[in-house]
Amino acid sequence: MKSCLVVDDSRVVRKVARKILEELNFACSEAEDGKQAMEACAAQMPDAILLDWNMPVMTGIEFLRRLRKMSGGEQPKVVFCTTENDLAHIQEALSAGANEYIMKPFDSDIIQTKFAQVGLL
């Protein structure tokens, strides 16, 4: 079973994403900010990370840049899931190492399609 770390400061978003991902047979863990996500990745690197942009403590883009420099940090497929929909944000995310980009709000079909595109399904 593949693992996915859901990183979002909204408990509701984490809960919805977790339900969708568990239906897709992912073992899920959660973090409410980039700092918690770094700690989770240091303990055990997941196969996938569903990542919010705007969070307290450490933003998604800061987390992504640090993750990609960690030992094993190039491995997880990172899918940004955010309300930031302008081209500049999307380009910044992809250049920092994101594999895909999902707009909020999302549903099961969107997550399934993006995770399939990056080879997780």
Side-chain angles (χ1 to χ4, degrees):
M1 179 178 277
K2 289 187 176 169
S3 60
C4 183
L5 176 62
V6 179
V7 187
D8 199 298
D9 57 328
S10 165
R11 191 177 63 78
V12 172
V13 171
R14 291 195 312 270
K15 188 175 180 180
V16 169
R18 181 181 200 124
K19 181 180 185 301
I20 292 169
L21 288 161
E22 286 175 345
E23 288 172 0
L24 296 172
N25 293 316
F26 279 86
C28 289
S29 54
E30 300 177 18
E32 60 186 54
D33 60 51
K35 183 176 181 290
Q36 282 186 8
M38 288 302 303
E39 292 163 0
C41 290
Q44 181 163 0
M45 199 62 74
D47 297 304
I49 300 172
L50 190 65
L51 183 62
D52 184 25
W53 191 295
N54 298 305
M55 297 178 291
V57 187
M58 183 190 299
T59 66
I61 198 76
E62 289 171 327
F63 162 78
L64 179 58
R65 288 191 175 115
R66 291 184 190 182
L67 171 75
R68 293 305 193 207
K69 292 176 183 170
M70 286 175 71
S71 174
E74 69 287 344
Q75 294 301 324
K77 300 290 187 188
V78 176
V79 178
F80 255 106
C81 181
T82 181
T83 56
E84 300 294 350
N85 64 354
D86 58 279
L87 193 57
H89 277 92
I90 295 169
Q91 288 174 330
E92 184 178 0
L94 296 175
S95 68
N99 299 92
E100 257 305 342
Y101 206 93
I102 295 174
M103 300 311 307
K104 288 180 183 175
F106 58 86
D107 61 20
S108 181
D109 289 344
I110 293 168
I111 288 185
Q112 196 166 350
T113 298
K114 292 296 185 177
F115 274 50
Q117 286 174 352
V118 298
L120 289 163
L121 294 174

